[in-house]
Amino acid sequence: ESIMSQIRPFDYSQKNAVLVPVAALGVGGMLLYWLRSGRKIKTIDMGDGWWGAGEKPPKGKEDTSIRPFKIETSDKEIEDLHQRLDRFRFTPHVEGAAFHYGFNSSYLRKVVAYWRNQFDWRKQVEVLNKYPHFHTTIEGIDIHFIHVKPSYIPHGQAVRPLLMVHGWPGSFYEFYKIIPLLTEPAKHGLNEGDVVFEVICPSIPGYGFSEASHQKGFDSIATARIFHKLMNRLGFKEYYIQGGDWGSRITTNMAQMLPQSVKGLHLNLVFITGQGLGKMIRAMLGAYVPWLVGFTREDAQRLYPFMQKNIFDVLRESGYLHIQATKPDTAGCGLNDSPVGLAAYIMEKFSTWTDKSFLHKDDGGLESKYSLDELLTNVMIYWVTSSIVSSMRYYKENFSKDPRIHDRVAVYVPTGIAAFPQEIVHAPRVWAKRVYKNIVTYTYMPRGGHFAAFEEPKLLAQDIMQFVRKVEQL
């Protein structure tokens, strides 16, 4: 009996040794099949749209040509601007205001004086025209984009197409300093000769030189579809995409819509929506045991004190968002009529969104990171195109829909994230993984804020190249 009692447990354990791995393998196989099948099924429906005035023309009658475009100005345009600047009504600020109340009016007086007497719009138009510009009509509206190719391609070198998408209140001009680093890296001391790009930078419809939608409902998903059509029209079947601000949402939607066309997605801002109570509990635990909720030491430094950095700071910086997401045309018509009001509204964002500490500076720290020529050129793109109202409407069109749609479809294409320390909100890798399932690179950038390509072009270019190199090796 004692011998038999020893044999039975031995037989039982032998069966377990066989059955447990088999069961695990079966469950694992089913789970893998479910995940893989989910990856194939769960995409955003591409659909179709029509945003032009009037009715959609019959199929095959649409103009699909790509037309060269050149930015121009006139004496009349400049004289009108100068007359409006001459009528600037100064409003004294309270003592010690710095940028706590918004754009400091004493510094604004200096900006207006420079704009009126020293800023040369004709010269800046030449700067803007140094890259090739184009227009093409997609879904009834004219889409503006620049397309820059390398001037020299080493023998045997593959050139990778890269679509870069701006946000608000930026423009395609944000990418002017990073484009040469990506198209001719060796020339600019990056020594990254194995990774060379041709860069396509479109203007979001309703921004700058892209026509605004004539219909209600134009959102980031419609934009993603249009930009896929743009890349296809340019002859690309596969391409890399990059974005921050609205560009992050648009390129994420592109990856969710046609993952087979997106070789890689690189972001310098990750939107985290939803997660509710669970996110709050993890955030509370992370203050004491960050490792328990998957935070790194760097995550903890960027997230805490949590209420200050993620609630109070965000509320202070997001008043514009509520206006633009509800009744953009009311405030917009005033900005469209006053160049000074427009400059204050836009340039204030380039202060605190670049560095939160600039709130305490009388000049908003603006000229420590950018030149007035650069800042005013971006403002002028909105001014001469009268596009501030349509750019603000983009918030209403997007926020009037359930934002959770963007999180319900996971992103499986290779993803790179550049986390800049002065970004308005920080998204730890563990949070980003809830949507972006295939994060290839996640970099804690040493400096920089919201307008990464405009402020730190070299850092961003290096991170994009590092990401692409890893994707190409997969």
Side-chain angles (χ1 to χ4, degrees):
E1 283 180 2
S2 65
I3 292 170
M4 289 299 293
S5 67
Q6 289 175 14
I7 290 172
R8 272 197 225 85
F10 175 78
D11 289 343
Y12 184 73
S13 65
Q14 287 284 75
K15 287 177 183 176
N16 272 355
V18 174
L19 290 174
V20 170
V22 168
L25 191 63
V27 171
M30 290 172 65
L31 182 61
L32 184 63
Y33 173 80
W34 178 79
L35 284 171
R36 292 184 68 85
S37 62
R39 283 173 64 171
K40 290 176 184 176
I41 294 168
K42 295 194 80 173
T43 58
I44 291 177
D45 181 33
M46 187 163 181
D48 203 0
W50 174 256
W51 309 104
E55 293 185 8
K56 184 177 180 179
K59 194 171 183 180
K61 298 291 185 181
E62 292 176 299
D63 180 6
T64 59
S65 64
I66 295 171
R67 307 175 294 277
F69 170 74
K70 191 174 182 180
I71 299 170
E72 296 178 341
T73 188
S74 65
D75 290 340
K76 184 179 178 182
E77 184 174 74
I78 294 170
E79 285 169 12
D80 176 69
L81 171 69
H82 286 173
Q83 288 170 10
R84 291 169 186 265
L85 294 178
D86 287 338
R87 293 196 297 268
F88 166 46
R89 294 200 302 174
F90 175 75
T91 304
H93 59 78
V94 295
E95 292 182 10
F99 262 56
H100 288 275
Y101 287 70
F103 206 105
N104 183 288
S105 57
S106 291
Y107 180 63
L108 183 60
R109 180 180 265 173
K110 176 190 172 184
V111 171
V112 173
Y114 181 87
W115 197 358
R116 173 63 178 85
N117 302 312
Q118 293 172 262
F119 179 76
D120 188 343
W121 175 232
R122 291 186 185 279
K123 179 183 174 184
Q124 294 308 114
V125 165
E126 290 178 14
V127 171
L128 291 174
N129 282 327
K130 76 176 182 177
Y131 295 132
H133 292 250
F134 301 90
H135 265 157
T136 190
T137 306
I138 303 177
E139 298 189 6
I141 51 178
D142 281 349
I143 306 300
H144 162 260
F145 64 98
I146 57 175
H147 187 178
V148 187
K149 300 178 182 180
S151 59
Y152 169 73
I153 305 169
H155 180 70
Q157 173 70 63
V159 179
R160 296 155 179 90
L162 172 66
L163 178 85
M164 302 189 78
V165 185
H166 66 88
W168 187 92
S171 64
F172 66 93
Y173 178 59
E174 285 181 68
F175 302 116
Y176 267 50
K177 288 185 279 190
I178 198 173
I179 286 172
L181 307 182
L182 296 169
T183 56
E184 300 174 315
K187 247 190 199 182
H188 296 86
L190 293 182
N191 298 318
E192 308 285 0
D194 58 325
V195 178
V196 179
F197 299 94
E198 58 180 296
V199 180
I200 301 92
C201 299
S203 294
I204 298 171
Y207 288 67
F209 300 98
S210 275
E211 186 180 356
S213 169
H214 296 263
Q215 313 293 332
K216 292 193 293 184
F218 187 85
D219 60 5
S220 64
I221 292 175
T223 312
R225 180 178 64 246
I226 283 176
F227 287 172
H228 271 308
K229 290 181 177 182
L230 171 64
M231 295 301 279
N232 186 257
R233 189 169 293 181
L234 291 171
F236 300 117
K237 300 302 179 189
E238 283 188 319
Y239 33 89
Y240 289 93
I241 53 180
Q242 199 282 330
D245 196 87
W246 279 123
S248 169
R249 172 58 55 83
I250 292 164
T251 53
T252 294
N253 290 160
M254 291 177 74
Q256 293 166 319
M257 186 178 288
L258 289 180
Q260 67 273 22
S261 295
V262 178
K263 288 198 74 176
L265 166 67
H266 186 279
L267 306 172
N268 55 276
L269 171 64
V270 172
F271 288 103
I272 301 295
T273 59
Q275 301 185 52
L277 182 62
K279 179 183 175 182
M280 186 58 69
I281 292 171
R282 287 191 292 274
M284 290 169 62
L285 288 171
Y288 304 99
V289 280
W291 51 269
L292 186 64
V293 293
F295 293 167
T296 66
R297 184 176 298 177
E298 185 66 33
D299 290 329
Q301 288 177 352
R302 297 187 183 193
L303 282 172
Y304 299 102
F306 190 84
M307 291 298 290
Q308 180 64 50
K309 291 187 175 180
N310 298 274
I311 305 297
F312 301 137
D313 286 355
V314 171
L315 283 173
R316 184 192 66 225
E317 295 299 327
S318 59
Y320 79 98
L321 188 150
H322 188 75
I323 292 171
Q324 295 177 193
T326 52
K327 297 184 178 181
D329 287 31
T330 305
C333 68
L335 300 176
N336 194 48
D337 191 56
S338 167
V340 178
L342 181 67
Y345 196 73
I346 286 178
M347 287 171 62
E348 182 244 306
K349 305 308 178 193
F350 284 85
S351 169
T352 45
W353 291 7
T354 295
D355 190 315
K356 298 174 185 72
S357 69
F358 288 172
L359 192 72
H360 310 298
K361 295 180 178 287
D362 289 340
D363 63 357
L366 284 167
E367 292 177 76
S368 64
K369 293 288 186 175
Y370 317 101
S371 71
L372 284 181
D373 280 346
E374 290 172 341
L375 293 167
L376 288 170
T377 297
N378 182 64
V379 172
M380 285 295 290
I381 290 169
Y382 283 86
W383 177 253
V384 300
T385 58
S386 295
S387 59
I388 187 62
V389 178
S390 51
S391 75
M392 292 165 70
R393 284 180 191 148
Y394 202 62
Y395 285 77
K396 182 171 180 64
E397 302 295 14
N398 280 285
F399 281 92
S400 61
K401 293 161 188 170
D402 185 353
R404 291 174 297 177
I405 186 175
H406 305 283
D407 293 347
R408 288 183 186 135
V409 178
V411 174
Y412 287 98
V413 304
T415 302
I417 297 171
F420 284 84
Q422 289 294 332
E423 185 55 270
I424 302 165
V425 289
H426 174 66
R429 181 178 187 139
V430 67
W431 287 359
K433 282 174 66 177
R434 291 174 64 87
V435 174
Y436 304 93
K437 303 298 186 182
N438 186 11
I439 298 176
V440 175
T441 62
Y442 184 102
T443 312
Y444 296 99
M445 306 303 282
R447 62 184 179 276
H450 186 72
F451 304 98
F454 205 36
E455 180 195 353
E456 295 289 349
K458 191 168 185 179
L459 284 180
L460 183 61
Q462 288 172 327
D463 199 70
I464 293 169
M465 289 173 176
Q466 175 197 5
F467 163 67
V468 170
R469 189 179 297 105
K470 286 196 175 182
V471 173
E472 295 288 327
Q473 292 169 356
L474 292 176

